[in-house]
Amino acid sequence: MARSLVIKVTAGADAPERCNQAFTVAAAALASGVSVSLWLTGESSWFALPGRAKEFSLPQAAPLPDLLDAVLAAGRVTLCTQCAARRNITVDDLIDGVRIAGAPAFVEEVTTEGVQALVY
């Protein structure tokens, strides 16, 4: 059975190293052939909007737009329903390929057999 990875990112520009680690692990897993679902929550929610990843900078790290593009191309990116609502983000605001879903969808993903969940 193939394993898959669900990564929940809770940090954004407020904790840049933790944020970048999540995106880096997601992209590395995809490059290794692992199925990845990346959840944007808390301050990482802003990266579901066009241009926001370009504003992120962390020395000695892969550019966040490149990592996000890699996940969008080969994995799935989900924005937390409540996190989107708190920030007045709607489906019409999102980067193509990002979906909005809530806790029931997250729980379903992480309780599926063969799934490893990581939270950053």
Side-chain angles (χ1 to χ4, degrees), residues 86-117:
R86 281 187 206 95
R87 291 161 180 81
N88 296 314
I89 299 171
T90 69
V91 126
D92 295 331
D93 301 321
L94 302 178
I95 296 169
D96 286 341
V98 176
R99 70 177 183 142
I100 295 178
F106 180 77
V107 170
E108 182 179 344
E109 283 191 29
V110 300
T111 58
T112 301
E113 188 174 341
V115 171
Q116 173 70 50

Side-chain angles (χ1 to χ4, degrees), residues 22-69:
F23 281 87
T24 299
V25 168
L30 286 164
S32 299
V34 175
S35 173
V36 172
S37 175
L38 181 69
W39 282 72
L40 304 176
T41 68
E43 286 302 298
S44 72
S45 299
W46 297 113
F47 299 127
L49 300 176
R52 289 296 184 100
K54 290 179 184 173
E55 297 171 6
F56 181 91
S57 178
L58 181 64
Q60 307 301 316
L64 198 63
D66 295 348
L67 297 172
L68 178 56
D69 287 346

